[in-house]
Amino acid sequence: MLSIIVLLTAFLLSAMRLYHIGYATFYETLAHDLMSIIAGLAIVLLSEAAAVLFTIALSVIGQTSTQRRILLASIVGTAALALSGNYYVALYEHELTIFNVLEAMLPPLLTLSTAYVLKELLLRVIEQRHADQIAYEQALLDWQRSTANPESHPKFTQAYATELRDALIKINRRRKASKSAIEQLEAPQWRTLVKHELQTEDWFDVTDEETEPTAAPLS
């Protein structure tokens, strides 16, 4: 938020001067009020706004040396336009003081530097969001694989046994006679109880040695 405030403040200070000199210079060659207004706005966009655009583009699409040279030349050109416009409005044929020079030259320079700061912040946010999205998708895929067939998970038996133990505790806490005995059970005794509960599910076990009973003849 501070970067945006500084960027807008520096941009406005420089843009007012650039609009004025763009309007005045165009009006000298073509005395048309509406066209001069459009020319003044165009100068603002071609200097300050374009410099911000090329600064961001340098990091995003400046992959080859040719691209970087073109973008750097564009940054220098737009920055020179902004600096020269501020110079001729605020300093040319005026009394020079330290404050006048800084007040005229710093706004266009701060616009570029603040745009660079915002660009770096935005790129970090984009990279972090991309990394978070990849991590989320990978975690979701792992979760879907593990929950598709939970019995095959290496810790399924342990988790199932823990749930059985918790169920036994919950049931026996309702009985006053069993509550104190449950609280005194140790690990070997818990393993015996849980194993017994697991075996109760295997009441139907057909082996090769078992044969079906022969039906009694009908009389």
Side-chain angles (χ1 to χ4, degrees), residues 27-49:
Y27 195 85
E28 290 178 0
T29 56
L30 184 59
H32 191 283
D33 189 61
L34 178 60
M35 291 184 179
S36 299
I37 292 174
I38 296 173
L41 295 174
I43 289 297
V44 174
L45 296 177
L46 288 176
S47 54
E48 302 256 293

Side-chain angles (χ1 to χ4, degrees), residues 71-82:
L71 292 172
L72 284 173
S74 301
I75 293 173
V76 172
T78 53
L81 181 62

Side-chain angles (χ1 to χ4, degrees), residues 99-111:
F99 180 80
N100 286 346
V101 174
L102 294 177
E103 192 265 341
M105 295 291 102
L106 273 183
L109 294 176
L110 287 176
T111 301

Side-chain angles (χ1 to χ4, degrees), residues 157-196:
T157 304
Q158 179 66 39
Y160 188 36
T162 302
E163 289 296 325
L164 287 174
R165 184 195 64 181
D166 293 341
L168 288 171
I169 293 173
K170 184 177 180 180
I171 292 173
N172 286 277
R173 276 180 177 172
R174 299 173 185 173
R175 305 170 184 172
K176 293 181 179 180
S178 303
K179 183 177 180 181
S180 59
I182 281 290
E183 293 175 351
Q184 296 175 3
L185 292 179
E186 296 181 354
Q189 296 167 322
W190 274 118
R191 283 195 290 268
T192 302
L193 286 175
V194 171
K195 186 176 180 181
H196 178 267

Side-chain angles (χ1 to χ4, degrees), residues 46-68:
L46 288 176
S47 54
E48 302 256 293
V52 173
L53 169 65
F54 293 130
T55 301
I56 297 174
L58 181 62
S59 296
V60 177
I61 62 174
Q63 305 298 325
T64 65
S65 57
T66 301
Q67 291 173 340
R68 287 193 293 271

